[in-house]
Amino acid sequence: MSGHGAAGAAAVAAQVAAVCAGAPLLTGMMRQVRARLEGRAGAGVGQPWRDLRKLMRKEAVTPQGTGPAFRMAPLLLVATTAVVAALVPLASTATPAGGSSDLILVVALLALGTVALALAGLDTGTAFGGMGASREMTVAALVEPTILLAVFALSMPSGSTNLAAIVSGGLRDPDRLASPAGLLATAALAVAVLAETGRLPVDNPTTHLELTMVHEAMVLEYAGPDLALVELGAQMRLAVLLGLLASLAAPWGIATTARPAAVALALLLLAVKVALLGAVLAAAEVFWAKLRLFRVPELLAGSFLLALLAVTASYFLTGE
């Protein structure tokens, strides 16, 4: 492998390592922000890592009657999210994976993790598992098109659905990010990220109330190392999607080469941007209430409409 290729591979590995190691810390930081705003001391930023370590030491328990779908879902969730973390230009646009970071592929990988968890919920044969899987797929059916359209609107000036090309175009021409199409697409993508990661007001990640939970209903039967992988996968998805939002809406600081110094600086700036987004989200969740289940499609349909308007505005602005 040439020196340039080795540097690019190292940049990809650094992105994945940063997501895997930083995702639990991001979750802990968000919980700490919520705790402080609610007048509580909080468990500390490192508590999610301690929870994962405790779960990994426990015995794996598999419900009777479950099949391969239940056992493979945690691994698929973590693996697909790790691949997305390698493909998305979080730190550098000049990586070996940059040529494969197509919008359709990234959304398909995210959907694969969602479908795997939904199948696991159905595989248990419980009422909660089936209910959670049904709700999750309803949300996913509305979220995935919104992500596609929002990023597609941002891709039209670049003439490519490659995420590295879209981010590079934003670095060269930052004015288009503040255009009506860019602002509409960013707003639609932000709502889609909330729904995809199961945050308020779409879902409450801290609840176990049977009538309202979506994600938790699918994973109630998991325990031990399997539950640790499910929790890690959910935390990684949050970090990756916030990183994608930061890279598309504010690409400044992303390296255009694979040099170690530039990638290290880009990773530091990425951590700052994602932490800021996470803190804002956590602070907003203190004042937000969860929407009624039948109102969630209205919110997601509104975000889809914003994405559609962004595509229309981008079409007229680019003259294509």
Side-chain angles (χ1 to χ4, degrees):
M1 181 181 293
S2 65
H4 180 73
V12 173
Q15 283 189 180
V16 178
V19 169
C20 293
L25 297 178
L26 172 65
T27 301
M29 184 271 295
M30 293 176 65
R31 292 176 182 173
Q32 195 68 17
V33 169
R34 288 195 61 174
R36 292 296 186 181
L37 291 177
E38 292 171 353
R40 298 182 287 110
V45 175
Q47 185 60 40
W49 264 119
R50 292 190 287 269
D51 292 340
L52 293 176
R53 183 178 59 186
K54 179 178 66 175
L55 289 172
M56 291 299 293
R57 292 175 177 175
K58 293 187 175 182
E59 180 183 359
V61 178
T62 303
Q64 186 176 4
T66 55
F70 182 85
R71 292 188 292 271
M72 294 299 296
L75 289 174
L76 275 175
L77 180 64
V78 174
T80 53
T81 310
V83 174
V84 171
L87 293 176
V88 175
L90 299 174
S92 175
T93 58
T95 63
S100 303
S101 60
D102 189 80
L103 167 63
I104 309 298
L105 176 60
V106 168
V107 174
L109 287 171
L110 291 173
L112 178 59
T114 301
V115 171
L117 268 189
L119 289 176
L122 292 173
D123 197 24
T124 61
T126 63
F128 284 159
M131 177 187 68
S134 175
R135 293 176 176 179
E136 182 72 10
M137 294 313 298
T138 300
V139 172
L142 296 169
V143 169
E144 308 300 342
T146 301
I147 297 178
L148 283 170
L149 278 182
V151 182
F152 182 70
L154 296 173
S155 73
M156 292 182 71
S158 302
S160 172
T161 57
N162 183 275
L163 292 174
I166 297 172
V167 172
S168 298
L171 288 171
R172 291 192 302 268
D173 185 15
D175 290 340
R176 73 186 190 193
L177 298 175
S179 65
L183 295 176
L184 288 170
T186 301
L189 187 60
V191 176
V193 167
L194 293 179
E196 184 71 20
T197 55
R199 310 298 302 191
L200 288 172
V202 177
D203 188 20
N204 188 349
T206 63
T207 187
H208 284 83
L209 183 62
E210 293 87 350
L211 295 177
T212 62
M213 59 185 177
V214 179
H215 173 78
E216 292 295 328
M218 297 185 295
V219 302
L220 280 177
E221 303 299 323
Y222 281 109
D226 291 334
L227 181 58
L229 288 177
V230 170
E231 294 294 331
L232 178 61
Q235 293 163 1
M236 289 173 60
R237 283 169 76 93
L238 176 61
V240 166
L241 286 171
L242 288 181
L244 175 61
L245 179 61
S247 297
L248 292 174
W252 305 284
I254 296 179
T256 55
T257 66
R259 290 181 298 179
V263 171
L265 178 60
L267 286 174
L268 178 61
L269 294 175
L270 172 69
V272 172
K273 289 187 285 188
V274 171
L276 181 60
L277 286 176
V280 171
L281 175 57
E285 287 181 339
V286 175
F287 305 99
W288 284 345
K290 185 185 180 302
L291 287 175
R292 293 177 58 191
L293 184 64
F294 297 111
R295 297 294 300 275
V296 170
E298 297 178 10
L299 173 66
L300 300 181
S303 66
F304 179 81
L305 180 59
L306 288 178
L308 190 60
L309 289 173
V311 171
T312 304
S314 182
Y315 175 83
F316 285 109
L317 288 174
T318 56
E320 295 179 359

